[in-house]
Amino acid sequence: MTGSYKQVLITIIVCIVLLILGFLIAAVARRILNARKYAALDAYRALYRRTISKALLSGLTSAVIDDLRARPLSLQWRAVEEVLFERIADAAHEKEVAQLFLQLGYRDYYENRLKSKRPITKAAAIDKLGKMLSDSSTAALVNILNTELTPEVLAVTVRALCRTRSLEGLRGILERLPELYGKSLVSHKTIESSLVKLTADAVPIIVSYGEKFDNPKIKATLLEALSHLPATPLSFSFAAAHLSAPAAEFRARAVRVFGSHDTARNMVRPELLLPLLKDPAWFVRLQAARAFERLRYERAVDGLGTLLLDPNWQVRNAAARALANIGDASLEVFLNILQHTDRYAKESICEEAQRTNFTQRLIENLMSPDAEIYAKSREVLGIMHSLNFSTPLHENVAKGDNDVLKRALVLLMQEIECPPAVRAGAHGNGERTTA
């Protein structure tokens, strides 16, 4: 029995060793095969990059169709697909590349895979159709949107339809929004991040559905989308209608539409936003301050000044940035707050003045022919220097090419650094430095 037991034990050990060796050999063989496959794939990618780049530059993409044809899922097929996805990101060639996807059979292949019962396979095909900007697949994707119940597949479909920038696809999404939100089939963030990929042509459709729906979640989503799309009078008109909405979220998103584009200054009435600087919701005040940072509306200076002492630090910083962007009209407000006892407010103003290059403007104002602008700018710079926000002053003294301005800065810093008794007898009266 002992000898038989040993023989069985040896047999088991040998089998385990052979099994381990088998796994090791299989792993090594798999790595060698994969290395060869990826090396071949890299070679094909390099070849097709040259071929496709040359065809796109010459405008003769139809001449290379036969050179790019390959059996689906072969290494050549994968290489061509990857290179085309790289090139479609270039807006200058996206139409030609989208046409190549169509002519080479990629659209038909992935549309056939939409029939798969496996959600993963279907979602991968939908994603590919979206990436290749296949607007001719809009009907098939909208059909999935209307019949599919799997949240993951629906989310991918929404993203794909927005990538194609098809207006019919957008209508399909908006028609089903009540159901998508009502059953929590797709998250708000997914839809919002997808809609921002659209163009200005989508604005009239979004506004028309925004006026049609009463669902607050949908309205909030559409306002968010409008804040990212190109500015149009229609989008501002729709946003203006929600500036006094009962829900703070509506007000915040409506204000964001006004503050999202520099071109808004030529299309909107900034005075509509003034009441929002006093809104009870801090995030509405924040968006209002950010809007005025772009609009540079001088009549907002006083309201922004009150926000420099706001309980919320984000609001304070946004107000400081807005005032710095408005420019010389903010000097009086800056002075009032810099003379305030709240050190945090002072430092917030100084930090934003440096970030927005407002400090440089104050320095240049030391050469201003306007006596009031000169005096206020000098006083603000003096307070900033006393709070150790002196880097721009030192840099101008060290690297500036205007000797008169350099002497003015040196004198200003000396006055701040000297004791009051010494300052009184020196050049501490704020008079201009002359050449």
Side-chain angles (χ1 to χ4, degrees):
M1 288 293 290
T2 303
S4 176
Y5 176 76
K6 288 181 178 180
Q7 187 175 4
V8 171
L9 186 60
I10 291 170
T11 302
I12 292 174
I13 292 172
V14 170
C15 290
I16 292 173
V17 170
L18 290 174
L19 188 62
I20 292 172
L21 285 174
F23 279 126
L24 288 174
I25 292 171
V28 171
R30 185 167 58 251
R31 293 192 66 175
I32 292 173
L33 291 173
N34 284 339
R36 290 178 178 175
K37 181 177 72 173
Y38 290 127
L41 187 59
D42 287 339
Y44 283 129
R45 277 197 291 252
L47 170 64
Y48 292 130
R49 278 195 189 101
R50 292 193 296 271
T51 302
I52 292 171
S53 295
K54 186 176 180 181
L56 290 173
L57 289 174
S58 66
L60 301 174
T61 53
S62 58
V64 297
I65 294 296
D66 290 337
D67 296 332
L68 300 178
R69 290 193 189 280
R71 177 174 51 84
L73 300 183
S74 65
L75 290 180
Q76 295 95 320
W77 167 278
R78 288 177 54 188
V80 170
E81 180 183 62
E82 290 177 17
V83 173
L84 289 178
F85 277 137
E86 291 173 5
R87 297 311 305 265
I88 204 167
D90 182 357
H93 298 297
E94 65 178 28
K95 290 183 179 179
E96 295 96 321
V97 177
Q99 188 63 24
L100 282 173
F101 272 123
L102 177 63
Q103 293 174 316
L104 293 171
Y106 286 92
R107 187 208 65 178
D108 293 339
Y109 174 79
Y110 286 115
E111 282 193 1
N112 285 332
R113 293 179 73 84
L114 296 180
K115 303 171 186 176
S116 173
K117 300 295 184 182
R118 298 179 60 199
I120 293 178
T121 301
K122 185 182 293 187
I126 293 169
D127 185 58
K128 292 287 181 71
L129 289 169
K131 287 181 178 178
M132 64 180 67
L133 307 182
S134 179
D135 57 356
S136 57
S137 302
T138 298
L141 294 178
V142 170
N143 182 58
I144 289 176
L145 199 64
N146 292 330
T147 58
E148 182 65 44
L149 294 176
T150 308
E152 294 78 12
V153 175
L154 285 171
V156 175
T157 305
V158 168
R159 287 195 291 267
L161 284 169
C162 290
R163 275 200 188 106
T164 64
R165 299 193 287 273
S166 163
L167 298 184
E168 286 306 313
L170 172 61
R171 290 189 181 92
I173 294 170
L174 296 178
E175 284 290 346
R176 203 179 175 198
L177 266 187
E179 185 180 357
L180 294 177
Y181 279 172
K183 296 182 179 179
S184 298
L185 294 174
V186 180
S187 71
H188 301 172
K189 288 297 181 184
T190 297
I191 293 178
E192 287 175 2
S193 62
S194 300
L195 292 177
V196 301
K197 295 181 173 66
L198 299 169
T199 61
D201 294 340
V203 171
I205 298 174
I206 290 175
V207 170
S208 66
Y209 277 87
E211 294 171 343
K212 169 183 174 182
F213 291 132
D214 293 327
N215 187 319
K217 293 181 180 179
I218 294 178
K219 284 185 177 289
T221 294
L222 300 185
L223 282 168
E224 181 68 20
L226 290 174
S227 71
H228 293 277
L229 294 177
T232 71
L234 190 59
S235 58
F236 292 128
S237 175
F238 179 70
H242 294 83
L243 289 175
S244 57
E249 183 182 11
F250 276 13
R251 298 196 300 275
R253 296 195 182 207
V255 175
R256 191 181 300 174
V257 175
F258 283 82
S260 58
H261 307 283
D262 288 328
T263 54
R265 280 178 288 178
N266 302 321
M267 299 185 190
V268 303
R269 294 166 53 206
E271 65 271 18
L272 293 176
L273 304 183
L274 289 174
L276 282 304
L277 293 173
K278 300 178 181 179
D279 197 275
W282 71 267
F283 51 89
V284 177
R285 299 194 300 275
L286 174 64
Q287 294 302 329
R290 288 177 175 173
F292 283 120
E293 180 182 350
R294 282 184 179 268
L295 295 172
R296 299 179 186 178
Y297 186 52
E298 293 187 1
R299 283 181 56 193
V301 165
D302 291 338
L304 290 167
T306 62
L307 296 187
L308 291 174
L309 301 175
D310 195 89
N312 184 277
W313 68 269
Q314 294 180 71
V315 176
R316 291 196 296 269
N317 286 356
R321 286 195 300 274
L323 287 167
N325 271 3
I326 289 173
D328 292 338
S330 304
L331 283 172
E332 186 67 34
V333 171
F334 274 132
L335 270 177
N336 289 339
I337 299 297
L338 287 173
Q339 292 165 350
H340 197 275
T341 56
D342 186 340
R343 185 177 180 85
Y344 184 88
K346 294 179 183 179
E347 292 179 348
S348 293
I349 290 176
C350 294
E351 287 174 359
E352 295 307 326
Q354 292 190 167
R355 284 198 194 103
T356 57
N357 210 31
F358 186 61
T359 307
Q360 185 60 36
R361 181 169 185 161
L362 293 172
I363 292 172
E364 292 169 359
N365 281 348
L366 296 182
M367 303 297 294
S368 173
D370 188 311
E372 185 177 2
I373 290 178
Y374 163 81
K376 290 179 179 179
S377 298
R378 193 176 194 277
E379 190 171 355
V380 172
L381 287 171
I383 296 173
M384 290 181 67
H385 182 58
S386 70
L387 293 171
N388 297 319
F389 288 88
S390 308
T391 301
L393 282 70
H394 289 299
E395 287 180 349
N396 273 268
V397 170
K399 302 177 183 179
D401 54 6
N402 187 322
D403 291 335
V404 176
L405 185 57
K406 289 165 71 172
R407 286 198 297 273
L409 290 171
V410 170
L411 179 60
L412 172 64
M413 289 188 285
Q414 287 175 346
E415 290 177 4
I416 300 301
E417 293 163 4
C418 289
V422 177
R423 256 197 337 266
H427 301 282
N429 55 7
E431 294 179 357
R432 290 177 182 271
T433 300
T434 57

